[in-house]
Amino acid sequence: MSNTSSSSAHITDDATKLAIEIREMNDIFIMRPNGKIAYLSYDFYSDPKKIVESVSAEKNSNRFFIHEDGGYPSNLYGPIVTKVIDWNLLDENKQYKIHPQKPTESCKPGYFINLRRMTLDRLEVMTTDELRAELPVDQPITHNLSTLTHQLHTIPAHLEEQLEGAPAEDNIYIAFYQYPEKMRSSNKFYSYHLSYISAKELDDNEFKPDSPVVLGNSTEDVNSTIKHLETHYGKPSVQVGGINPNDSHQPVPCIACYVVNIRTFHS
């Protein structure tokens, strides 16, 4: 094999490895108002049973927040983390929307986490332009559910008071790309899913030494991670951030890619 062929094969192998790594680097630490920390793995929140909204390039879609014209509620569109209010959830009968995968469960107010707006800058630093060119490319959405071509739906003035205060429960809505391992352009719109995680499910996924979600990690490692999160996110009230598992200087033994601190809405 020539040197050129060998180099090309090496890049392809590295790109495949990186694509798998990116997909696996999407777990989230949620720092909750009750003082606890939840750990949500990508496999957990991307479970089809938890999906309430999905928009794809093939026009297959389940609408929840997105409107028929492709427009999106203005209070959810801009921030990385924000509140989900009654105006976003009440149907024409003033009842909370039913979870499309769970007919007996309604979706309540809480917090919206837009992982599509969160990136790990160091991941780019670790890779070359040549390597990134080998990664799979996502297919942009061009049909009428592309919110980039439609106006936002603005909350009525008489309901703006709902934006004040904090939700009674920390139910979570997570928007994430359908294919996190694919490359995208910042000025286009791509397939995504939106999952709903109830406060009860956050309770079940508490990050603590005896929890099943930290299986395989020692008590020392879990406590060290908790200390790091409280020191660098809790005490300084940092709302969002990313941890790079490939940074050998990172002092966090139990790694998740994203950190979201919703305690900031209660301070």
Side-chain angles (χ1 to χ4, degrees):
M1 180 181 291
S2 68
N3 289 338
T4 300
S5 298
S6 177
S7 176
S8 178
H10 177 67
I11 291 174
T12 300
D13 289 343
D14 285 349
T16 300
K17 179 182 178 182
L18 181 59
I20 295 172
E21 192 174 64
I22 292 171
R23 193 172 186 86
E24 293 176 345
M25 287 168 49
N26 280 271
D27 298 352
I28 316 170
F29 286 117
I30 306 289
M31 305 191 71
R32 306 177 63 191
N34 62 8
K36 299 179 181 180
I37 299 174
Y39 183 94
L40 303 182
S41 69
Y42 173 80
D43 288 340
F44 177 79
Y45 68 79
S46 67
D47 184 334
K49 294 180 181 179
K50 294 178 172 59
I51 303 300
V52 296
E53 178 172 278
S54 60
V55 176
S56 73
E58 293 76 27
K59 292 190 178 181
N60 299 320
S61 63
N62 294 313
R63 291 187 296 106
F64 191 79
F65 291 133
I66 196 169
H67 291 245
E68 291 184 7
D69 65 357
Y72 220 70
S74 59
N75 67 306
L76 303 181
Y77 185 76
I80 293 176
V81 184
T82 191
K83 304 169 190 174
V84 175
I85 58 178
D86 281 352
W87 177 66
N88 300 126
L89 297 171
L90 294 178
D91 61 22
E92 60 274 10
N93 297 316
K94 304 300 180 183
Q95 300 295 317
Y96 287 124
K97 296 178 182 179
I98 300 299
H99 195 303
Q101 310 298 335
K102 305 174 183 179
T104 61
E105 182 178 338
S106 58
C107 297
K108 302 293 182 62
Y111 299 92
F112 185 91
I113 300 171
N114 194 350
L115 291 187
R116 295 171 297 172
R117 292 190 179 275
M118 295 179 69
T119 59
L120 288 177
D121 294 335
R122 288 185 182 178
L123 189 58
E124 280 199 9
V125 173
M126 289 160 40
T127 58
T128 63
D129 290 340
E130 189 177 20
L131 178 57
R132 285 196 293 277
E134 291 288 317
L135 289 169
V137 178
D138 208 350
Q139 178 184 355
I141 292 177
T142 57
H143 56 72
N144 69 333
L145 289 184
S146 172
T147 63
L148 292 184
T149 62
H150 294 272
Q151 292 184 351
L152 299 178
H153 290 253
T154 305
I155 181 172
H158 70 283
L159 297 178
E160 288 180 352
E161 64 181 20
Q162 292 182 12
L163 296 171
E164 302 174 12
E169 297 179 341
D170 55 348
N171 306 299
I172 300 293
Y173 297 81
I174 303 173
F176 58 98
Y177 284 120
Q178 185 175 356
Y179 305 107
E181 74 281 10
K182 293 186 177 182
M183 297 297 291
R184 286 169 292 274
S185 171
S186 60
N187 63 348
K188 294 181 181 179
F189 189 74
Y190 296 90
S191 301
Y192 72 90
H193 291 315
L194 178 76
S195 59
Y196 174 70
I197 312 297
S198 69
K200 172 62 169 60
E201 289 175 300
L202 293 184
D203 289 339
D204 296 339
N205 285 271
E206 183 179 351
F207 187 74
K208 57 182 182 179
D210 60 348
S211 172
V213 301
V214 296
L215 187 65
N217 291 288
S218 68
T219 296
E220 182 180 358
D221 283 348
V222 173
N223 288 335
S224 177
T225 300
I226 292 172
K227 180 179 179 180
H228 175 83
L229 293 172
E230 294 292 355
T231 299
H232 291 83
Y233 292 88
K235 293 179 181 178
S237 296
V238 174
Q239 189 172 62
V240 294
I243 297 174
N244 188 348
N246 289 321
D247 185 347
S248 61
H249 301 292
Q250 178 56 251
V252 184
C254 304
I255 295 297
C257 245
Y258 300 113
V259 182
V260 178
N261 179 10
I262 56 177
R263 298 175 190 172
T264 57
F265 292 93
H266 294 252
S267 59

